[in-house]
Amino acid sequence: MRRALLSIALAALPAWAAAQATGTCTVPDHVPPARLSGEWNATFWNEGGAPDRPLDTGVLRLERHPEYGGSVRGDLLRGTGGQMRRSIVSGDVTDGEFHFDESDDGVDMAAVWNGVAEDCGGRLAITGTRRPATGADSPDPVLRFRLTKPSGWR
């Protein structure tokens, strides 16, 4: 499963990188929940590391948040070496900035995600930093992340 997730995540990188290199990327002011909804490939790497050498990969499935109309909520499934981990995430993109809260149990915050959404040739990509939440007992270090939708998803 890990190899499949990694190959899917890496397959999305060339199109995103090409659009970025040609300068066709824009930072949208707002990304509506409908555009954030769906399945995303998640790639995580160490701060100071390289995205093409991921520490971890996963799949994020988002849908409109049932309580907050302008936000999304969903499940993140990620793991390495056969150890899969599930988290609940919720957040939005406002003024071009991406913000997510992550919880392992649906109650306590485990991590916060901050980044920038870019529209690169019609494909949305979100890149940023995932940090353990203040006071969270998390074994995870500060990680960089990239979220991309698999080919065929919009």
Side-chain angles (χ1 to χ4, degrees):
M1 172 113 178
R2 173 148 166 72
R3 285 186 189 163
L5 290 173
L6 179 59
S7 64
I8 290 169
L10 292 177
L13 289 177
W16 178 82
Q20 234 189 6
T22 61
T24 59
C25 295
T26 60
V27 176
D29 287 336
H30 175 70
V31 179
R35 187 137 186 237
L36 290 173
S37 295
E39 186 172 294
W40 294 80
N41 292 321
T43 305
F44 302 90
W45 64 95
N46 284 322
E47 194 170 41
D52 60 342
R53 300 187 63 102
L55 177 68
D56 205 356
T57 60
V59 174
L60 176 62
R61 290 184 182 97
L62 297 173
E63 59 188 32
R64 183 180 295 273
H65 196 292
E67 298 169 25
Y68 304 104
S71 299
V72 291
R73 180 171 73 182
D75 294 316
L76 171 67
L77 183 63
R78 69 181 182 112
T80 57
Q83 299 285 20
M84 299 306 286
R85 183 170 126 190
R86 182 184 168 273
S87 301
I88 300 166
V89 295
S90 61
D92 55 27
V93 175
T94 306
D95 297 328
E97 295 183 14
F98 173 81
H99 302 282
F100 255 16
D101 295 333
E102 179 181 342
S103 175
D104 294 330
D105 61 9
V107 177
D108 297 317
M109 197 173 352
V112 292
W113 302 36
N114 294 299
V116 175
E118 293 182 299
D119 186 328
C120 299
R123 290 185 58 118
L124 195 62
I126 301 171
T127 306
T129 304
R130 178 193 176 276
R131 298 184 190 311
T134 303
D137 183 24
S138 174
D140 290 336
V142 173
L143 298 172
R144 299 283 298 151
F145 72 85
R146 177 174 297 124
L147 300 175
T148 56
K149 286 197 174 182
S151 296
W153 286 73
R154 293 269 173 188

